[in-house]
Amino acid sequence: MRIYLIRHGRQNSPLCNVNVPLSDAGRRQAELLGERLKKESIDAVWSSDLIRACETADIINEKLHAPRLIREGLREISFGDLEGLSDDVIMERYADFFAARASMKEDLPYPGGENAADVIRRAVPVMDEIAKSGAETVAVVTHGGVIRSLVTHYLHMGGAYIPLLARHLENCG
C-alpha cells in the first residue's frame, strides 16, 4: 500500500489553527497537486474534517474522482491556548514553552492542548482503518502536526523529535 500524507493548502487566516477555508493560493496549490496525483491511480481520498483539509481534498479529488472519506481523528494537533492567536502574540506569551520544547527532551503538550502522543492515539486508528480498506494507493489530506506525529511514530523517532520536521513541510506537500 502507498499512502500520500498531504498537508492542506494555505489557509486564509494567519491565526493559529482556526477552522477556515483556503486562500486563493491554497486553492491553486490543491489544483496543482490534483494534476500531479492524476497519474498515481489514487483509490481513495481521506481527510480531516476541518474546512481547510476538506476543501483541499475536494479540489484534489476533482481530478481523481475517487471515493472521499472524512475522519475527525485526522484533525490538526490541538494547540490549546494558542489557537486563534497571532504568531507575535504566541511568541510573546509562550516563549518559555517554546524554549522548553526546542530542547526536544520530552513530548510537551501545547498549553491547554495536545502533544504528539495524543495525536497518535487518535490518528493511528484512522491509519489502521486505511490500511485495512483494501486500497492500494491513498491520499490523506491532513495537517502538519498530524503528519509530523505520524512520521515520528512510524519511524520510531519519538514525539520529542517533531520540531526537527517543522521546516520541511509545505502546504500541499
Side-chain angles (χ1 to χ4, degrees):
M1 171 176 244
R2 189 173 349 160
I3 299 174
Y4 290 94
L5 292 173
I6 300 165
R7 184 177 179 214
H8 60 80
R10 187 171 298 130
Q11 66 187 34
N12 72 3
S13 173
L15 302 179
C16 178
N17 201 34
V18 290
N19 194 18
V20 296
L22 298 176
S23 65
D24 290 341
R27 283 188 288 282
R28 182 70 182 136
Q29 289 169 331
E31 289 168 2
L32 291 170
L33 182 56
E35 283 294 328
R36 287 193 310 267
L37 289 175
K38 278 192 328 191
K39 66 179 186 263
E40 299 302 322
S41 300
I42 304 291
D43 297 312
V45 178
W46 296 63
S47 78
S48 152
D49 64 336
L50 296 180
I51 295 168
R52 59 193 180 270
C54 282
E55 189 176 353
T56 301
D58 290 341
I59 292 169
I60 289 168
N61 204 32
E62 288 174 6
K63 306 291 184 191
L64 307 177
H65 309 288
R68 271 283 285 122
L69 298 108
I70 300 169
R71 295 294 183 272
E72 187 176 318
L74 295 171
R75 273 187 179 198
E76 176 62 292
I77 190 169
S78 170
F79 292 96
D81 300 340
L82 286 65
E83 292 185 6
L85 301 178
S86 69
D87 288 346
D88 291 342
V89 171
I90 289 170
M91 292 316 294
E92 179 182 321
R93 288 187 193 168
Y94 299 99
D96 291 343
F97 165 76
F98 284 102
R101 188 169 184 261
S103 74
M104 294 187 279
K105 292 181 181 172
E106 60 182 308
D107 181 19
L108 295 173
Y110 285 92
E114 293 180 306
N115 63 7
D118 296 323
V119 173
I120 289 163
R121 274 190 287 280
R122 65 178 164 78
V124 165
V126 178
M127 299 306 291
D128 290 345
E129 182 183 357
I130 292 168
K132 293 175 185 172
S133 71
E136 288 186 31
T137 306
V138 175
V140 178
V141 180
T142 186
H143 308 270
V146 175
I147 294 170
R148 290 178 191 103
S149 297
L150 288 171
V151 167
T152 57
H153 171 73
Y154 288 120
L155 294 179
H156 305 287
M157 294 171 64
Y161 292 97
I162 288 174
L164 291 175
L165 302 173
R167 59 187 106 90
H168 302 293
L169 197 55
E170 297 294 326
N171 292 101
C172 281

